Amino acid sequence: MFHKPLIIAALALAAAAPAQAARWSLVDAGTGFGFSDLSASLDGDVVAAGEFTDLYTTFGYAGLAGADSVNLPLVGGEADAGYAHTLSVDTLGGSAATALYLGAAHFLGFTATAAGTAGDYLATQDVAVTGLQLRIVGDAGEADGTPVSVSFTGLAEAVVDLGLPATHAIGFALEVSQDGLPGGNLSLSWSGENSWPVNVSFASAVGRMLDLTLSLHLESTQTGGGLAYAAGDQWLTGAAVQFDGQLTVSAVPEPDSYAMLLAGLGLFGLIAHRRG
């Protein structure tokens, strides 16, 4: 049987060296925008919705949000169209994690009172920010140059409605540079409903400035020509895509931390040998 006080002492020894702490500071929100444009022809009547939204900033936060929907009585029925786009970069009150979110969605719905044809459906959306700068700040007096690790994790996903036959092209991209040194880069593209986990890590240091570019693209295009419909038919088409994740800075254990951990493990072995 192990001697409990010695086990506790070994654990305390292994964890005795404190890890270096660091946090994010938003230095420059950069330039960002959200763009949405949707159009379709419903038996000759053109339905359209769209908007361009600029980035806004507050202390430690950068974001944009745009959304609208329209209801249009037409000769042959009634249409609803709408869109939304969102971008959020939040340093979470100066913590070790920065929350990142990009989202875009659009829809077109129709209730027919007479027979006709739907065609020329095209929806394009882009949400992006470039030149966004984050600095790694020592949280407990760490000197500039103290090694840290940066990780970017999250989930990119898309959901589509198939009222009209259409293709849905999605793209997500991240570029991170740090004072001219290697950073992290990621590019995803796919078509249709799916989800992708994201995980990128790289080495950095306290005091270093990171320059970020984030972008999200969604495009829906009608395929197979016009869609014939009859009086009384109802359908809804559209797509929604988002990326939700975090950029995290964490400590890199110093050499003496590893030495103490090994000492603690060695003490465990000694206890086991004597009690064996």
Side-chain angles (χ1 to χ4, degrees):
M1 180 181 295
F2 291 146
H3 195 273
K4 187 174 181 181
L6 289 179
I7 294 175
I8 294 173
L11 289 173
L13 181 63
Q20 301 288 351
R23 58 184 172 83
W24 293 109
S25 174
L26 178 61
V27 177
D28 191 333
T31 303
F33 68 91
F35 171 76
S36 296
D37 185 59
L38 180 152
S39 63
S41 173
L42 299 173
D43 207 35
D45 289 324
V46 176
V47 175
E51 182 185 57
F52 185 93
T53 306
D54 284 324
L55 188 74
Y56 62 87
T57 62
T58 59
F59 181 73
Y61 177 86
L64 62 84
D68 196 14
S69 62
V70 294
N71 177 266
L72 298 171
L74 306 174
V75 174
E78 185 176 55
D80 293 283
Y83 65 88
H85 49 243
T86 307
L87 183 150
S88 174
V89 180
D90 190 350
T91 55
L92 300 174
S95 74
T98 291
L100 303 169
Y101 179 86
L102 290 85
H106 58 256
F107 71 90
L108 172 65
F110 185 62
T111 300
T113 57
T117 302
D120 302 324
Y121 171 61
L122 173 64
T124 301
Q125 292 183 276
D126 288 281
V127 183
V129 62
T130 184
L132 187 143
Q133 292 183 325
L134 295 169
R135 183 184 295 279
I136 301 173
V137 179
D139 207 20
E142 290 81 6
D144 286 357
T146 301
V148 295
S149 176
V150 175
S151 62
F152 181 74
T153 59
L155 183 68
E157 57 186 333
V159 178
V160 301
D161 288 309
L162 299 175
L164 279 177
T167 59
H168 303 276
I170 300 108
F172 170 73
L174 162 74
E175 296 179 12
V176 182
S177 61
Q178 45 175 349
D179 296 336
L181 299 174
N185 295 294
L186 172 72
S187 179
L188 294 174
S189 61
W190 71 95
S191 177
E193 190 165 313
N194 213 328
S195 63
W196 303 90
V198 172
N199 195 332
V200 177
S201 299
F202 55 92
S204 191
V206 171
R208 194 161 289 170
M209 185 88 74
L210 271 64
D211 195 302
L212 276 72
T213 296
L214 281 162
S215 62
L216 183 67
H217 175 75
L218 169 60
E219 184 173 317
S220 300
T221 307
Q222 185 174 356
T223 57
L227 173 69
Y229 55 81
D233 284 354
Q234 293 181 321
W235 46 260
L236 175 70
T237 195
V241 59
Q242 67 174 5
F243 172 80
D244 192 5
Q246 284 194 333
L247 187 70
T248 304
V249 57
S250 56
V252 175
E254 296 182 354
D256 58 351
S257 299
Y258 289 114
M260 288 191 176
L261 176 60
L262 291 175
L265 294 175
L267 186 54
F268 272 123
L270 179 61
I271 294 169
H273 176 73
R274 290 183 173 179
R275 295 292 180 180

